[in-house]
Amino acid sequence: MLLFAALLAWQTEPMSAIRGARERARAEVTAAIKGEARKQLAAEGAAKLSLRAVARELGMASSALYRYFPSRDDLLTALIVDAYDAIGEAAERAHRTAAGATDTPAPGTCLARWVAVACAARDWALAHPHEYALIYGSPVPGYTAPQDTVGPAARVGLVLIAIVEDAHREEGFALPPLADELRPEAERLAADLAPGLAPAVAAPLVAAWSQLFGLISFEVFGQFNRVVEAREVFFRQAVTELAHTVGLLGSRG
């Protein structure tokens, strides 16, 4: 029995090592493919992304690259998921820092947490404009995002929802007015996106989320050129006003 166990361990250990080496090699090649694809995004834009061009730049046969990404759309999806995850991680990290890295943030911090998350999203976008353009710019012709992108795309929004939910539970909360004709849509939004929030909050929260990325997009895509000079100060003030529209209390200065 001891001899059999020793033989089994001898057989299993090399196989595990080989499997681990293969997984590491695959991860490295995958990272290299995505890295080259990001260079193409910066140089040519998403619409011109080409698997053959990526393979050529990496010195790979196209047939070898297809084992990693069977189509251009598969590669685009991977890049989109990475970008959403990266901006989501930046937002979540800023939220943890502003909340004091605790599951029960101190009362009175919701407005500061909201602004910190918004600024983290802006900072990431300015540092990665081509990846930001991939997820918040013009749609890529012929590409339809699959369900795999939905979860990563929601990460920043989920942090904002959590902040508003905390404010609703823990701090004074100014409930925004809700027009009667908007109530059915607001009730649907609350049920789908934020069951813990009143419909009167859900609708302006979706509006604030879209306006946040509108502000970021205007800056990333140059729409503020020769218009807004003190952009960080402008942005902080704008997202603070957005926080007030969803009921977060705090000094308007």
Side-chain angles (χ1 to χ4, degrees):
M1 288 295 292
L2 288 175
L3 179 61
F4 175 76
L7 181 61
L8 182 61
W10 180 83
Q11 290 177 329
T12 302
E13 186 175 350
M15 288 301 295
S16 295
I18 292 171
R19 189 159 50 245
R22 286 174 177 168
E23 289 172 355
R24 287 193 298 273
R26 184 174 183 86
E28 289 172 2
V29 174
T30 299
I33 292 169
K34 291 196 287 189
E36 179 56 39
R38 291 188 185 99
K39 292 180 183 178
Q40 284 197 21
L41 290 180
E44 303 287 344
K48 294 185 179 180
L49 181 64
S50 163
L51 289 182
R52 290 183 180 277
V54 170
R56 183 172 60 249
E57 290 299 320
L58 293 176
M60 296 176 65
S62 297
S63 58
L65 190 147
Y66 290 139
R67 290 200 291 270
Y68 294 85
F69 296 100
S71 70
R72 181 209 68 159
D73 284 5
D74 291 309
L75 179 53
L76 267 178
T77 296
L79 296 176
I80 288 168
V81 168
D82 283 355
Y84 276 131
D85 277 336
I87 194 171
E89 287 168 9
E92 291 161 0
R93 186 165 54 249
H95 183 243
R96 287 194 300 270
T97 300
T102 174
D103 292 334
T104 55
T109 64
C110 290
L111 181 58
R113 287 154 56 197
W114 174 282
V115 174
V117 167
C119 288
R122 171 182 178 266
D123 290 345
W124 183 89
L126 292 175
H128 305 86
H130 303 293
E131 292 168 70
Y132 179 84
L134 181 62
I135 54 178
Y136 287 109
S138 300
V140 180
Y143 173 81
T144 300
Q147 189 69 21
D148 294 354
T149 63
V150 173
R155 289 177 68 169
V156 175
L158 289 174
V159 177
L160 298 177
I161 289 171
I163 293 170
V164 176
E165 287 178 338
D166 283 349
H168 189 68
R169 284 193 303 268
E170 300 167 8
E171 304 181 2
F173 195 85
L175 199 65
L178 179 63
D180 289 341
E181 59 269 25
L182 183 57
R183 182 163 295 279
E185 179 65 8
E187 289 174 349
R188 185 192 65 79
L189 288 171
D192 290 349
L193 303 176
L197 292 175
V201 182
L205 181 55
V206 171
W209 169 71
S210 64
Q211 290 172 73
L212 165 62
F213 283 102
L215 285 164
I216 294 172
S217 294
F218 258 53
E219 186 169 1
V220 171
F221 301 140
Q223 301 301 318
F224 281 152
N225 291 348
R226 296 189 297 276
V227 178
V228 178
E229 298 296 334
R231 293 176 187 168
E232 183 174 355
V233 175
F234 178 87
F235 181 82
R236 283 179 171 272
Q237 179 64 30
V239 297
T240 298
E241 292 300 323
L242 288 179
H244 294 312
T245 69
V246 299
L248 296 187
L249 300 181
S251 173
R252 290 176 181 267

